PDB file of all heavy atoms in Angstrom:
ATOM      1  N   GLU P   1      23.257   4.431   4.418  1.00  0.00           N
ATOM      2  CA  GLU P   1      22.452   3.456   3.692  1.00  0.00           C
ATOM      3  C   GLU P   1      21.259   4.140   3.013  1.00  0.00           C
ATOM      4  O   GLU P   1      20.596   4.984   3.604  1.00  0.00           O
ATOM      5  CB  GLU P   1      21.960   2.372   4.667  1.00  0.00           C
ATOM      6  CG  GLU P   1      21.496   1.130   3.979  1.00  0.00           C
ATOM      7  CD  GLU P   1      21.393  -0.036   4.939  1.00  0.00           C
ATOM      8  OE1 GLU P   1      20.946   0.156   6.076  1.00  0.00           O
ATOM      9  OE2 GLU P   1      21.758  -1.144   4.533  1.00  0.00           O
ATOM     10  N   ARG P   2      21.026   3.773   1.755  1.00  0.00           N
ATOM     11  CA  ARG P   2      19.866   4.282   1.015  1.00  0.00           C
ATOM     12  C   ARG P   2      18.624   3.537   1.489  1.00  0.00           C
ATOM     13  O   ARG P   2      18.628   2.305   1.547  1.00  0.00           O
ATOM     14  CB  ARG P   2      20.064   4.068  -0.485  1.00  0.00           C
ATOM     15  CG  ARG P   2      21.201   4.899  -1.062  1.00  0.00           C
ATOM     16  CD  ARG P   2      21.395   4.647  -2.555  1.00  0.00           C
ATOM     17  NE  ARG P   2      20.169   4.874  -3.295  1.00  0.00           N
ATOM     18  CZ  ARG P   2      19.689   4.036  -4.231  1.00  0.00           C
ATOM     19  NH1 ARG P   2      20.341   2.941  -4.544  1.00  0.00           N
ATOM     20  NH2 ARG P   2      18.581   4.328  -4.870  1.00  0.00           N
ATOM     21  N   VAL P   3      17.567   4.276   1.813  1.00  0.00           N
ATOM     22  CA  VAL P   3      16.372   3.648   2.365  1.00  0.00           C
ATOM     23  C   VAL P   3      15.127   4.033   1.577  1.00  0.00           C
ATOM     24  O   VAL P   3      15.093   5.039   0.870  1.00  0.00           O
ATOM     25  CB  VAL P   3      16.156   3.997   3.856  1.00  0.00           C
ATOM     26  CG1 VAL P   3      17.296   3.502   4.705  1.00  0.00           C
ATOM     27  CG2 VAL P   3      15.928   5.477   4.049  1.00  0.00           C
ATOM     28  N   ALA P   4      14.120   3.190   1.737  1.00  0.00           N
ATOM     29  CA  ALA P   4      12.768   3.471   1.263  1.00  0.00           C
ATOM     30  C   ALA P   4      11.824   2.954   2.339  1.00  0.00           C
ATOM     31  O   ALA P   4      12.227   2.193   3.223  1.00  0.00           O
ATOM     32  CB  ALA P   4      12.495   2.784  -0.076  1.00  0.00           C
ATOM     33  N   VAL P   5      10.565   3.353   2.255  1.00  0.00           N
ATOM     34  CA  VAL P   5       9.582   3.015   3.272  1.00  0.00           C
ATOM     35  C   VAL P   5       8.522   2.096   2.675  1.00  0.00           C
ATOM     36  O   VAL P   5       7.927   2.414   1.638  1.00  0.00           O
ATOM     37  CB  VAL P   5       8.915   4.288   3.832  1.00  0.00           C
ATOM     38  CG1 VAL P   5       7.870   3.935   4.877  1.00  0.00           C
ATOM     39  CG2 VAL P   5       9.967   5.234   4.403  1.00  0.00           C
ATOM     40  N   LEU P   6       8.300   0.963   3.333  1.00  0.00           N
ATOM     41  CA  LEU P   6       7.199   0.071   2.966  1.00  0.00           C
ATOM     42  C   LEU P   6       5.972   0.531   3.735  1.00  0.00           C
ATOM     43  O   LEU P   6       6.033   0.740   4.945  1.00  0.00           O
ATOM     44  CB  LEU P   6       7.533  -1.377   3.328  1.00  0.00           C
ATOM     45  CG  LEU P   6       6.408  -2.396   3.144  1.00  0.00           C
ATOM     46  CD1 LEU P   6       5.934  -2.454   1.698  1.00  0.00           C
ATOM     47  CD2 LEU P   6       6.855  -3.768   3.624  1.00  0.00           C
ATOM     48  N   GLY P   7       4.865   0.695   3.040  1.00  0.00           N
ATOM     49  CA  GLY P   7       3.657   1.142   3.716  1.00  0.00           C
ATOM     50  C   GLY P   7       2.404   0.855   2.922  1.00  0.00           C
ATOM     51  O   GLY P   7       2.445   0.249   1.855  1.00  0.00           O
ATOM     52  N   ARG P   8       1.298   1.286   3.510  1.00  0.00           N
ATOM     53  CA  ARG P   8      -0.017   1.133   2.889  1.00  0.00           C
ATOM     54  C   ARG P   8      -0.256  -0.306   2.460  1.00  0.00           C
ATOM     55  O   ARG P   8      -0.823  -0.579   1.416  1.00  0.00           O
ATOM     56  CB  ARG P   8      -0.168   2.119   1.740  1.00  0.00           C
ATOM     57  CG  ARG P   8      -0.272   3.569   2.229  1.00  0.00           C
ATOM     58  CD  ARG P   8       0.078   4.549   1.139  1.00  0.00           C
ATOM     59  NE  ARG P   8      -0.228   5.914   1.438  1.00  0.00           N
ATOM     60  CZ  ARG P   8       0.466   6.707   2.270  1.00  0.00           C
ATOM     61  NH1 ARG P   8       1.499   6.237   2.924  1.00  0.00           N
ATOM     62  NH2 ARG P   8       0.123   7.965   2.453  1.00  0.00           N
ATOM     63  N   LEU P   9       0.240  -1.225   3.304  1.00  0.00           N
ATOM     64  CA  LEU P   9       0.080  -2.651   3.047  1.00  0.00           C
ATOM     65  C   LEU P   9      -1.162  -3.132   3.788  1.00  0.00           C
ATOM     66  O   LEU P   9      -1.261  -2.980   5.005  1.00  0.00           O
ATOM     67  CB  LEU P   9       1.318  -3.426   3.516  1.00  0.00           C
ATOM     68  CG  LEU P   9       1.417  -4.869   3.030  1.00  0.00           C
ATOM     69  CD1 LEU P   9       2.862  -5.310   3.002  1.00  0.00           C
ATOM     70  CD2 LEU P   9       0.590  -5.838   3.823  1.00  0.00           C
ATOM     71  N   PHE P  10      -2.096  -3.678   3.041  1.00  0.00           N
ATOM     72  CA  PHE P  10      -3.319  -4.211   3.652  1.00  0.00           C
ATOM     73  C   PHE P  10      -3.878  -5.316   2.767  1.00  0.00           C
ATOM     74  O   PHE P  10      -3.602  -5.379   1.565  1.00  0.00           O
ATOM     75  CB  PHE P  10      -4.370  -3.111   3.875  1.00  0.00           C
ATOM     76  CG  PHE P  10      -4.794  -2.392   2.623  1.00  0.00           C
ATOM     77  CD1 PHE P  10      -5.829  -2.876   1.831  1.00  0.00           C
ATOM     78  CD2 PHE P  10      -4.159  -1.216   2.231  1.00  0.00           C
ATOM     79  CE1 PHE P  10      -6.225  -2.201   0.675  1.00  0.00           C
ATOM     80  CE2 PHE P  10      -4.542  -0.539   1.086  1.00  0.00           C
ATOM     81  CZ  PHE P  10      -5.576  -1.033   0.306  1.00  0.00           C
ATOM     82  N   VAL P  11      -4.664  -6.184   3.397  1.00  0.00           N
ATOM     83  CA  VAL P  11      -5.353  -7.275   2.706  1.00  0.00           C
ATOM     84  C   VAL P  11      -6.763  -7.342   3.279  1.00  0.00           C
ATOM     85  O   VAL P  11      -6.957  -7.239   4.504  1.00  0.00           O
ATOM     86  CB  VAL P  11      -4.619  -8.624   2.917  1.00  0.00           C
ATOM     87  CG1 VAL P  11      -5.415  -9.787   2.319  1.00  0.00           C
ATOM     88  CG2 VAL P  11      -3.213  -8.575   2.321  1.00  0.00           C
ATOM     89  N   LEU P  12      -7.742  -7.496   2.409  1.00  0.00           N
ATOM     90  CA  LEU P  12      -9.123  -7.621   2.866  1.00  0.00           C
ATOM     91  C   LEU P  12      -9.256  -8.776   3.859  1.00  0.00           C
ATOM     92  O   LEU P  12      -8.625  -9.827   3.672  1.00  0.00           O
ATOM     93  CB  LEU P  12     -10.060  -7.886   1.685  1.00  0.00           C
ATOM     94  CG  LEU P  12     -10.408  -6.707   0.803  1.00  0.00           C
ATOM     95  CD1 LEU P  12     -11.197  -7.167  -0.422  1.00  0.00           C
ATOM     96  CD2 LEU P  12     -11.209  -5.679   1.581  1.00  0.00           C
ATOM     97  N   PRO P  13     -10.084  -8.621   4.890  1.00  0.00           N
ATOM     98  CA  PRO P  13     -10.226  -9.695   5.877  1.00  0.00           C
ATOM     99  C   PRO P  13     -10.591 -11.050   5.269  1.00  0.00           C
ATOM    100  O   PRO P  13     -10.033 -12.077   5.654  1.00  0.00           O
ATOM    101  CB  PRO P  13     -11.343  -9.182   6.792  1.00  0.00           C
ATOM    102  CG  PRO P  13     -11.268  -7.696   6.676  1.00  0.00           C
ATOM    103  CD  PRO P  13     -10.852  -7.431   5.244  1.00  0.00           C
ATOM    104  N   GLU P  14     -11.471 -11.055   4.292  1.00  0.00           N
ATOM    105  CA  GLU P  14     -11.896 -12.329   3.700  1.00  0.00           C
ATOM    106  C   GLU P  14     -10.832 -12.956   2.799  1.00  0.00           C
ATOM    107  O   GLU P  14     -10.942 -14.126   2.409  1.00  0.00           O
ATOM    108  CB  GLU P  14     -13.218 -12.180   2.936  1.00  0.00           C
ATOM    109  CG  GLU P  14     -13.183 -11.205   1.790  1.00  0.00           C
ATOM    110  CD  GLU P  14     -13.535  -9.766   2.170  1.00  0.00           C
ATOM    111  OE1 GLU P  14     -13.405  -9.369   3.336  1.00  0.00           O
ATOM    112  OE2 GLU P  14     -13.950  -9.041   1.246  1.00  0.00           O
ATOM    113  N   ALA P  15      -9.773 -12.217   2.478  1.00  0.00           N
ATOM    114  CA  ALA P  15      -8.687 -12.742   1.637  1.00  0.00           C
ATOM    115  C   ALA P  15      -7.456 -13.122   2.465  1.00  0.00           C
ATOM    116  O   ALA P  15      -6.437 -13.510   1.911  1.00  0.00           O
ATOM    117  CB  ALA P  15      -8.314 -11.712   0.569  1.00  0.00           C
ATOM    118  N   ARG P  16      -7.562 -13.001   3.771  1.00  0.00           N
ATOM    119  CA  ARG P  16      -6.423 -13.328   4.631  1.00  0.00           C
ATOM    120  C   ARG P  16      -6.312 -14.841   4.790  1.00  0.00           C
ATOM    121  O   ARG P  16      -7.260 -15.564   4.592  1.00  0.00           O
ATOM    122  CB  ARG P  16      -6.569 -12.636   5.981  1.00  0.00           C
ATOM    123  CG  ARG P  16      -6.485 -11.128   5.822  1.00  0.00           C
ATOM    124  CD  ARG P  16      -6.703 -10.380   7.105  1.00  0.00           C
ATOM    125  NE  ARG P  16      -6.779  -8.945   6.799  1.00  0.00           N
ATOM    126  CZ  ARG P  16      -7.338  -8.061   7.576  1.00  0.00           C
ATOM    127  NH1 ARG P  16      -7.853  -8.408   8.733  1.00  0.00           N
ATOM    128  NH2 ARG P  16      -7.373  -6.789   7.216  1.00  0.00           N
ATOM    129  N   GLY P  17      -5.120 -15.279   5.151  1.00  0.00           N
ATOM    130  CA  GLY P  17      -4.889 -16.709   5.321  1.00  0.00           C
ATOM    131  C   GLY P  17      -4.306 -17.362   4.079  1.00  0.00           C
ATOM    132  O   GLY P  17      -4.111 -18.571   4.043  1.00  0.00           O
ATOM    133  N   TYR P  18      -4.041 -16.570   3.046  1.00  0.00           N
ATOM    134  CA  TYR P  18      -3.473 -17.091   1.799  1.00  0.00           C
ATOM    135  C   TYR P  18      -2.091 -16.497   1.517  1.00  0.00           C
ATOM    136  O   TYR P  18      -1.617 -16.525   0.382  1.00  0.00           O
ATOM    137  CB  TYR P  18      -4.409 -16.792   0.620  1.00  0.00           C
ATOM    138  CG  TYR P  18      -5.764 -17.426   0.790  1.00  0.00           C
ATOM    139  CD1 TYR P  18      -6.843 -16.670   1.242  1.00  0.00           C
ATOM    140  CD2 TYR P  18      -5.956 -18.778   0.524  1.00  0.00           C
ATOM    141  CE1 TYR P  18      -8.088 -17.252   1.417  1.00  0.00           C
ATOM    142  CE2 TYR P  18      -7.203 -19.362   0.706  1.00  0.00           C
ATOM    143  CZ  TYR P  18      -8.259 -18.591   1.155  1.00  0.00           C
ATOM    144  OH  TYR P  18      -9.480 -19.175   1.336  1.00  0.00           O
ATOM    145  N   ALA P  19      -1.466 -15.928   2.549  1.00  0.00           N
ATOM    146  CA  ALA P  19      -0.114 -15.366   2.465  1.00  0.00           C
ATOM    147  C   ALA P  19      -0.008 -14.183   1.498  1.00  0.00           C
ATOM    148  O   ALA P  19       1.072 -13.895   1.000  1.00  0.00           O
ATOM    149  CB  ALA P  19       0.909 -16.443   2.114  1.00  0.00           C
ATOM    150  N   LEU P  20      -1.111 -13.498   1.251  1.00  0.00           N
ATOM    151  CA  LEU P  20      -1.057 -12.351   0.340  1.00  0.00           C
ATOM    152  C   LEU P  20      -0.274 -11.192   0.941  1.00  0.00           C
ATOM    153  O   LEU P  20       0.480 -10.518   0.234  1.00  0.00           O
ATOM    154  CB  LEU P  20      -2.467 -11.908  -0.041  1.00  0.00           C
ATOM    155  CG  LEU P  20      -3.277 -12.932  -0.839  1.00  0.00           C
ATOM    156  CD1 LEU P  20      -4.706 -12.437  -1.041  1.00  0.00           C
ATOM    157  CD2 LEU P  20      -2.602 -13.241  -2.154  1.00  0.00           C
ATOM    158  N   GLY P  21      -0.422 -10.946   2.231  1.00  0.00           N
ATOM    159  CA  GLY P  21       0.368  -9.915   2.882  1.00  0.00           C
ATOM    160  C   GLY P  21       1.847 -10.224   2.800  1.00  0.00           C
ATOM    161  O   GLY P  21       2.665  -9.347   2.511  1.00  0.00           O
ATOM    162  N   GLU P  22       2.192 -11.474   3.011  1.00  0.00           N
ATOM    163  CA  GLU P  22       3.591 -11.892   2.894  1.00  0.00           C
ATOM    164  C   GLU P  22       4.094 -11.715   1.470  1.00  0.00           C
ATOM    165  O   GLU P  22       5.201 -11.225   1.246  1.00  0.00           O
ATOM    166  CB  GLU P  22       3.756 -13.347   3.325  1.00  0.00           C
ATOM    167  CG  GLU P  22       5.177 -13.842   3.186  1.00  0.00           C
ATOM    168  CD  GLU P  22       5.386 -15.252   3.695  1.00  0.00           C
ATOM    169  OE1 GLU P  22       4.565 -15.743   4.503  1.00  0.00           O
ATOM    170  OE2 GLU P  22       6.385 -15.868   3.277  1.00  0.00           O
ATOM    171  N   ARG P  23       3.287 -12.092   0.504  1.00  0.00           N
ATOM    172  CA  ARG P  23       3.706 -11.954  -0.896  1.00  0.00           C
ATOM    173  C   ARG P  23       3.882 -10.486  -1.288  1.00  0.00           C
ATOM    174  O   ARG P  23       4.818 -10.146  -2.017  1.00  0.00           O
ATOM    175  CB  ARG P  23       2.711 -12.670  -1.804  1.00  0.00           C
ATOM    176  CG  ARG P  23       2.793 -14.192  -1.637  1.00  0.00           C
ATOM    177  CD  ARG P  23       1.745 -14.935  -2.416  1.00  0.00           C
ATOM    178  NE  ARG P  23       1.845 -14.650  -3.842  1.00  0.00           N
ATOM    179  CZ  ARG P  23       0.858 -14.871  -4.691  1.00  0.00           C
ATOM    180  NH1 ARG P  23      -0.296 -15.363  -4.263  1.00  0.00           N
ATOM    181  NH2 ARG P  23       1.005 -14.595  -5.968  1.00  0.00           N
ATOM    182  N   LEU P  24       2.999  -9.621  -0.808  1.00  0.00           N
ATOM    183  CA  LEU P  24       3.158  -8.192  -1.072  1.00  0.00           C
ATOM    184  C   LEU P  24       4.437  -7.668  -0.435  1.00  0.00           C
ATOM    185  O   LEU P  24       5.202  -6.922  -1.067  1.00  0.00           O
ATOM    186  CB  LEU P  24       1.943  -7.421  -0.545  1.00  0.00           C
ATOM    187  CG  LEU P  24       0.656  -7.566  -1.357  1.00  0.00           C
ATOM    188  CD1 LEU P  24      -0.551  -7.137  -0.533  1.00  0.00           C
ATOM    189  CD2 LEU P  24       0.748  -6.759  -2.648  1.00  0.00           C
TER     190      LEU P  24
END
């Protein structure tokens, strides 16, 4: 299987709770 790595995913604390991490 061909793979890639998801990483360096972060959201500022004050921007959390709006599903931005999920959308990224």
Side-chain angles (χ1 to χ4, degrees):
E1 198 164 40
R2 294 179 55 226
V3 298
V5 179
L6 173 60
R8 290 159 169 75
L9 193 155
F10 59 87
V11 174
L12 283 173
E14 60 271 23
R16 294 177 188 159
Y18 300 100
L20 296 174
E22 178 176 339
R23 290 175 59 199
L24 286 162

